[in-house]
Amino acid sequence: MNKALDLAENSFDIHSLLGMEYLFMDDFKSAKESFMRCVSFDEQDYSSLYNVIYCFEFLENHDGAIVYLNDYLERNPYCEVAWHQLGKQYTYKKMHTEALAAFDFAIISDDTFIGAYFEKGKVLEKLGKYNEAIENYETTIKMEDPTSHAYLRIGKCHEQLQNDDMAKYYYYHTVHEDPLLDKGWLAITDFYFRRKNYDKALHYVNKALNIDGENPSYWKKCAYINAALKKYHQADFAFKQAVDLGNYELKTWLNWADVLLSNEDTASALQILAQGQQFYPESAELKYKTAGFHLANRDMINGRISFMDALKLSLQKLSLFFEEFPQYTKSDWVLEAVEKAEKASK
């Protein structure tokens, strides 16, 4: 293809093909340069412009993208696509004032540009300006067929404003519009979970699981709800499903172990903590909990060994151990071990 560049009079198409080849090879630096050449040939080539920004983003060079887009906008001040992309780069950098200005310019350039209204709404949400955010999301609904994402965002804004009935109204619209949108079902579930209406939360997370039983987020939420309802066998099963489907978060291991302990299955709880330590070998939380569980199981030797290991990992997180196992706050061997650890850390 490089030979073709030497022979061709108009190399625009070749640079575009070359850029795509570099993308397939994961050579984002070379791909970016190829697409930049395409844009320099034709500044209305928005496909190449998007690809340039995609490469900047993949290289995590948001500053480079901002410089490039500002330079492009000096020559094309009414390009809504470039303003929109610039706003997104500022959003990545948490430069919210600049992002809002960029989205406003995109809207001035094209007042039917739905993407700019939507992104502006998201920034306003982050700034706590929920009513203004709702206005922007509603604008997108008026312009085009409503999307589940717009309904979801409006629902979240109303929840922040404590307009519970309106929040529910939009959450139900979200799942009606797109029954496969996991964020919609989780929003309804979380809505009831936060209000400690665990029965309703369980009802909706089960509806979600009937639609997509392979979603680890649903199973994780199902586990938390069952634990809150003290249905420990169901919570244990749900945590297992979540992990089997790829949810390996630290909190998952910690909470799963708590469920098993509540179910009076200390041996399995310790097994789960050991599994978690394979993923998080430097986690003091896992070690302190392991120490406490061994002690609860009257295994003083392993309890002390795990406690010493936890102190080595983090003396600062000792308070977590005392919060969960207050019966050991005045234990002589615990205080002695803490004192030794403090001396060693100085």
Side-chain angles (χ1 to χ4, degrees):
M1 207 171 280
N2 282 316
K3 281 187 179 179
L5 279 174
D6 297 331
L7 298 170
E9 288 181 21
N10 186 352
S11 56
F12 165 74
D13 290 332
I14 297 169
H15 279 300
S16 181
L17 290 167
L18 201 55
M20 294 309 294
E21 285 297 320
Y22 283 130
L23 279 183
F24 289 132
M25 293 162 61
D26 290 341
D27 183 350
F28 293 95
K29 190 171 181 296
S30 300
K32 179 184 61 147
E33 288 163 5
S34 292
F35 290 124
M36 278 179 168
R37 290 191 189 98
C38 293
V39 175
S40 66
F41 279 123
D42 176 10
E43 294 202 322
Q44 307 305 308
D45 179 9
Y46 296 142
S47 175
S48 291
L49 181 63
Y50 277 121
N51 281 327
V52 170
I53 303 309
Y54 173 75
C55 292
F56 271 119
E57 285 180 0
F58 199 91
L59 295 165
E60 296 182 357
N61 184 3
H62 299 297
D63 290 326
I66 288 168
V67 170
Y68 178 80
L69 285 164
N70 275 312
D71 182 53
Y72 176 90
L73 283 161
E74 279 188 26
R75 300 187 302 278
N76 304 275
Y78 297 104
C79 176
E80 71 279 7
V81 172
W83 282 117
H84 178 244
Q85 290 297 311
L86 182 61
K88 288 177 78 172
Q89 299 309 308
Y90 283 133
T91 304
Y92 287 129
K93 298 272 294 174
K94 297 185 178 174
M95 298 167 70
H96 299 314
T97 306
E98 292 83 352
L100 285 177
F103 293 133
D104 278 335
F105 278 119
I107 291 164
I108 290 166
S109 304
D110 178 2
D111 63 5
T112 65
F113 191 2
I114 286 173
Y117 287 106
F118 197 84
E119 293 296 334
K120 184 183 174 186
K122 282 163 71 177
V123 174
L124 288 164
E125 253 191 274
K126 285 174 185 168
L127 293 170
K129 297 180 178 180
Y130 301 113
N131 284 312
E132 288 178 55
I134 289 169
E135 283 174 27
N136 280 272
Y137 294 136
E138 284 179 340
T139 301
T140 69
I141 289 171
K142 287 171 193 167
M143 284 184 186
E144 206 174 73
D145 289 338
T147 68
S148 54
H149 292 283
Y151 283 141
L152 177 62
R153 298 263 41 104
I154 293 172
K156 284 187 178 288
C157 288
H158 278 299
E159 190 173 355
Q160 288 292 336
L161 291 165
Q162 297 182 333
N163 302 332
D164 286 2
D165 288 339
M166 291 299 286
K168 277 193 285 186
Y169 172 83
Y170 281 103
Y171 288 151
Y172 288 133
H173 265 57
T174 302
V175 294
H176 177 75
E177 190 69 32
D178 183 1
L180 293 178
L181 183 69
D182 59 348
K183 288 179 181 175
W185 290 108
L186 287 173
I188 294 176
T189 304
D190 285 337
F191 177 86
Y192 287 114
F193 188 82
R194 278 191 285 270
R195 284 152 186 80
K196 298 186 178 179
N197 190 340
Y198 301 124
D199 290 314
K200 273 214 166 180
L202 187 62
H203 170 74
Y204 282 103
V205 84
N206 281 333
K207 283 191 98 165
L209 284 165
N210 286 335
I211 292 166
D212 180 8
E214 300 292 303
N215 189 314
S217 297
Y218 292 165
W219 282 110
K220 182 179 75 167
K221 188 59 66 178
C222 182
Y224 285 124
I225 296 164
N226 277 304
L229 288 166
K230 298 185 178 176
K231 295 179 177 180
Y232 299 122
H233 285 295
Q234 291 93 324
D236 174 27
F237 177 77
F239 273 126
K240 185 180 185 307
Q241 295 297 110
V243 168
D244 286 349
L245 290 165
N247 181 271
Y248 306 128
E249 293 169 22
L250 176 60
K251 274 183 73 178
T252 297
W253 301 106
L254 293 166
N255 289 306
W256 189 4
D258 285 337
V259 160
L260 287 162
L261 190 70
S262 299
N263 217 17
E264 297 180 3
D265 188 354
T266 313
S268 294
L270 286 163
Q271 205 175 354
I272 292 306
L273 290 172
Q275 272 183 263
Q277 282 166 47
Q278 291 174 18
F279 291 90
Y280 301 95
E282 300 300 310
S283 169
E285 293 100 318
L286 284 167
K287 273 291 178 192
Y288 279 122
K289 197 177 277 287
T290 301
F293 283 16
H294 276 305
L295 295 168
N297 208 27
R298 298 184 181 179
D299 182 349
M300 294 301 291
I301 293 170
N302 282 313
R304 289 185 184 201
I305 291 168
S306 294
F307 185 73
M308 304 286 195
D309 289 342
L311 286 173
K312 285 174 193 168
L313 285 169
S314 175
L315 196 55
Q316 288 73 27
K317 290 184 178 173
L318 174 63
S319 58
L320 297 174
F321 177 80
F322 286 145
E323 277 172 34
E324 195 167 355
F325 308 101
Q327 64 269 40
Y328 297 106
T329 49
K330 292 179 182 175
S331 181
D332 289 341
W333 70 267
V334 168
L335 296 174
E336 193 180 316
V338 171
E339 191 182 338
K340 279 184 184 175
E342 285 173 341
K343 283 178 183 174
S345 66
K346 286 175 183 174

